Amino acid sequence: MTNKIQNLIPKPYQGTNPSNKISDIFIQDSFSKDDDRLWVPLSSGRWSRPLCYNISQGYWVHLTKVIGGGFLSRHKHPAPVHGFVIKGSWRYLEHDWVAKEGSYLFEPPGEIHTLVVDENCDEMITLFHNTGALLYCDENGNTIGSTDVFDRIEVARNHFIEVGLGENFIDQFIR
Ligand code: FE
């Protein structure tokens, strides 16, 4: 009876979990400010911080970071996307809203949109949960390229090898 809060905390669950349960992912410091190697460069001024690459359900969860403004991509998704803005701001040219720190968005399958980060945004960080693929489009909506979870794994694996973290470093993010 020394601490009221302690009294309210139950014992940890002592039972079993399914034997075929896969392991969780816990990342203490997703921003990795002390280790830039965790940020996978995708193009000039643009990085991706892997959080979860799900190869059985075909989705990936990551942080997108953009330094300096500009056009990122015009694309569509065959499956839904969830996004949450952590820092900075960005918008789709096709919408009248601006995604800012604290904004959440659901992107419906099928929509084509053009992502730009405004010039006055020093640094943008957004968490995206992408399912299926990103299909890059020209201005007429024709698909001109694509990326999926397997492409993302390959790019990240090559990067981690290059910066000395090894070819197995990527495995901790794959489920
Ligand atoms: Fe999108």
Side-chain angles (χ1 to χ4, degrees):
M1 292 297 207
T2 55
N3 184 315
K4 196 177 177 188
I5 291 173
Q6 260 185 4
N7 288 342
L8 297 174
I9 298 173
K11 284 183 187 169
Y13 172 63
Q14 302 285 326
T16 58
N17 287 310
S19 60
N20 52 358
K21 183 187 81 67
I22 61 174
S23 57
D24 60 356
I25 297 175
F26 175 74
I27 299 171
Q28 183 82 60
D29 174 23
S30 303
F31 298 131
S32 308
K33 286 180 179 149
D34 298 333
D35 192 351
D36 281 345
R37 298 177 301 172
L38 276 294
W39 289 90
V40 180
L42 295 180
S43 59
S44 177
R46 187 177 159 217
W47 295 263
S48 170
R49 199 317 186 181
L51 299 175
C52 176
Y53 292 126
N54 194 295
I55 56 174
S56 59
Q57 295 183 54
Y59 67 79
W60 69 105
V61 183
H62 70 128
L63 299 179
T64 290
K65 179 165 77 176
V66 177
I67 304 273
F71 164 69
L72 247 68
S73 72
R74 182 188 301 105
H75 61 260
K76 72 175 169 184
H77 314 274
V81 174
H82 301 271
F84 184 80
V85 183
I86 292 165
K87 187 177 181 190
S89 64
W90 58 271
R91 60 200 169 92
Y92 284 134
L93 296 181
E94 295 76 10
H95 289 279
D96 58 7
W97 46 254
V98 177
K100 294 179 175 163
E101 191 176 312
S103 298
Y104 161 80
L105 73 151
F106 162 74
E107 303 184 16
E111 179 181 294
I112 294 177
H113 44 222
T114 312
L115 203 169
V116 295
V117 178
D118 290 318
E119 298 295 332
N120 60 4
C121 177
D122 296 334
E123 183 179 66
M124 180 279 264
I125 298 177
T126 297
L127 183 147
F128 280 112
H129 177 305
N130 287 72
T131 303
L134 250 106
L135 304 176
Y136 300 108
C137 300
D138 67 14
E139 58 194 25
N140 297 313
N142 301 306
T143 300
I144 54 173
S146 69
T147 187
D148 64 12
V149 65
F150 300 102
D151 297 324
R152 292 306 178 110
I153 287 171
E154 190 180 341
V155 168
R157 178 179 281 122
N158 290 340
H159 165 74
F160 291 141
I161 291 170
E162 202 169 296
V163 296
L165 292 170
E167 65 176 323
N168 299 324
F169 188 79
I170 187 77
D171 295 345
Q172 65 191 288
F173 306 112
I174 300 176
R175 290 296 182 275

